[in-house]
Structure formats: structure tokens, C-alpha cells
Amino acid sequence: MRSFVFFQNVKNGRSGLRLTSFIDVIFILLLFFIVTALIMKQAGGRQGEKAYLVVQNSFSDVSTVRSYLTIFVYKSNGRIKYRLIHKGAKTVPTDYLRRLMAESRKESPDQSVIVYTTRLMLSNPNSPLSREMDRLNSANITYYLGLYGKILSDHDLTCAIVAQPDVPFWNVIQVYSFVKYSKREGGLGASNAVLREFNGDLHAFLNQIYW
């Protein structure tokens, strides 16, 4: 069996070689290429080489992106947070996530349950909507996004995922993949999804949006 030299061990004046079999090296390389291919597939082909695209203003590009829902992923005090930004009904956002869940279970959900977000709602950490969205995390974000797909089943759902550059890759690509995949594949089934980068905090991002 052909072997490769891994490293040399010197003991008591003698040199010994630890060898790794050729088949083991091939297996490791194969595993590496499989993992790499999966990352590239989830990232949307070559978009995996650069996970994000530069953004100046998510909503100013609405004529091109036609984004109904913008998901901003950012870090605050070392914790990853999410803000869902969209134009819906002007309703009180109290107990928002529970209301989304209850409405999504109905045969004919009321689309007015989707609240019209404002800069004041999202920037004030003590507002009911901010407190609700602080419950979003990497474990449940796709579940709550899935409720939008059920409530807006007849809507042309378009999404922009915008993230700070220091947010871990997997936290962003998880959301991007879910939004982009069809409902048949277990995703949101968005008709259009873009992935972008924003080098600023929540306050700076909200100031960039054309309300």
C-alpha cells in the first residue's frame, strides 16, 4: 500500500516515521471537497466565494430588488439579533410573534396581522416590537419567517437579507438559503432574494432606509 509521510518523531536518537495510508488521505480530501461543494450550493454558486454583496440602502433599491421583507442581521453586545422590516398594516405590534403564529394556522389568514414597521418601533429597544424581535434567534428565525409564507401565500414575497460583515457566515446563509428555497424544498419560496452586506449598526441601517 502506498503511504505518505505525516511527520517525523525523534526519540532516543532514533528517527521514526508515522505514516498515513493513501486511502485515508483520499478519504479526507473527498470529505473536504464534499463539504466545500455543499457550502457553495447553499451560498448560491459563486456567491459562496463572497458571502455578501455591498449595500448602501436596502429600500432605495426597491425598484430593482422589489423587496417586501428586509431581514437585518447584526451584532449587539456580542449577541446576534434580527430585525424584520416591511410595510404592512398599521396595527399595534404588541405580542406580535404569537399573533403571527395564531393567524398562520387559520385557513384564510388575515394579512393585516403583518405590522407596518417604523424607525421608531425598531430603534427603540423598549418598544413592544423591538422586545418581540429580540426573541428571534438563529434557532427560531426560519420558523417565524415561515409564518410569513403561510399568511402571505398569494403574495409576491421578495426578500433582502442584509448583514453586518462580522456576523458569522452560517447565521446569514441559513436565513438566505431558507428564504431562497421553494416551499417544496422546505423554504419560504420567495420569488426573489438578495444577500447584502452593511458595515454599520442598527441605527445607521435604519437611517439608510427610505420610509
Side-chain angles (χ1 to χ4, degrees):
M1 177 71 71
R2 185 181 177 185
S3 300
F4 287 139
V5 178
F6 232 39
F7 64 86
Q8 188 175 40
N9 182 25
V10 179
K11 186 177 180 181
N12 298 327
R14 294 181 177 181
S15 63
L17 298 179
R18 290 190 60 182
L19 304 177
T20 300
S21 68
F22 181 71
I23 192 68
D24 289 341
V25 173
I26 292 298
F27 177 77
I28 292 170
L29 290 174
L30 180 62
L31 185 62
F32 171 78
F33 286 123
I34 290 174
V35 172
T36 303
L38 287 173
I39 292 174
M40 291 292 289
K41 180 180 178 182
Q42 282 191 305
R46 289 194 172 275
Q47 207 163 15
E49 297 174 7
K50 172 64 178 174
Y52 319 117
L53 301 175
V54 176
V55 67
Q56 291 182 344
N57 182 340
S58 176
F59 271 106
S60 70
D61 293 336
V62 71
S63 60
T64 303
V65 178
R66 293 173 31 250
S67 174
Y68 173 85
L69 171 65
T70 297
I71 305 154
F72 183 49
V73 190
Y74 67 106
K75 272 189 175 183
S76 179
N77 297 323
R79 179 188 166 196
I80 296 175
K81 291 189 174 184
Y82 301 84
R83 286 294 181 269
L84 309 180
I85 306 166
H86 45 69
K87 297 177 180 180
K90 294 185 178 180
T91 57
V92 178
T94 305
D95 208 13
Y96 182 54
L97 297 180
R98 186 194 64 79
R99 288 169 54 220
L100 279 178
M101 185 166 46
E103 201 64 36
S104 70
R105 293 172 178 168
K106 296 180 181 179
E107 186 175 343
S108 299
D110 183 2
Q111 295 187 4
S112 66
V113 71
I114 307 293
V115 69
Y116 183 98
T117 53
T118 67
R119 183 187 291 108
L120 183 60
M121 284 179 177
L122 296 168
S123 60
N124 179 5
N126 296 316
S127 73
L129 188 61
S130 287
R131 290 200 301 268
E132 283 288 297
M133 289 191 179
D134 281 341
R135 293 168 52 192
L136 299 171
N137 54 52
S138 58
N140 65 24
I141 182 64
T142 55
Y143 169 76
Y144 284 108
L145 287 174
L147 301 182
Y148 282 79
K150 293 178 181 179
I151 295 171
L152 302 165
S153 58
D154 298 327
H155 191 84
D156 184 20
L157 191 57
T158 57
C159 301
I161 299 92
V162 184
Q164 290 178 329
D166 61 339
V167 174
F169 173 81
W170 285 111
N171 290 85
V172 182
I173 208 65
Q174 172 196 15
V175 177
Y176 175 72
S177 298
F178 175 78
V179 166
K180 193 172 183 181
Y181 286 169
S182 66
K183 291 184 179 180
R184 182 176 55 83
E185 296 173 303
L188 187 61
S191 58
N192 188 20
V194 294
L195 186 60
R196 294 178 169 169
E197 179 181 279
F198 181 80
N199 192 11
D201 59 12
L202 175 64
H203 180 73
F205 180 67
L206 295 177
N207 284 338
Q208 291 285 324
I209 297 174
Y210 175 73
W211 301 89

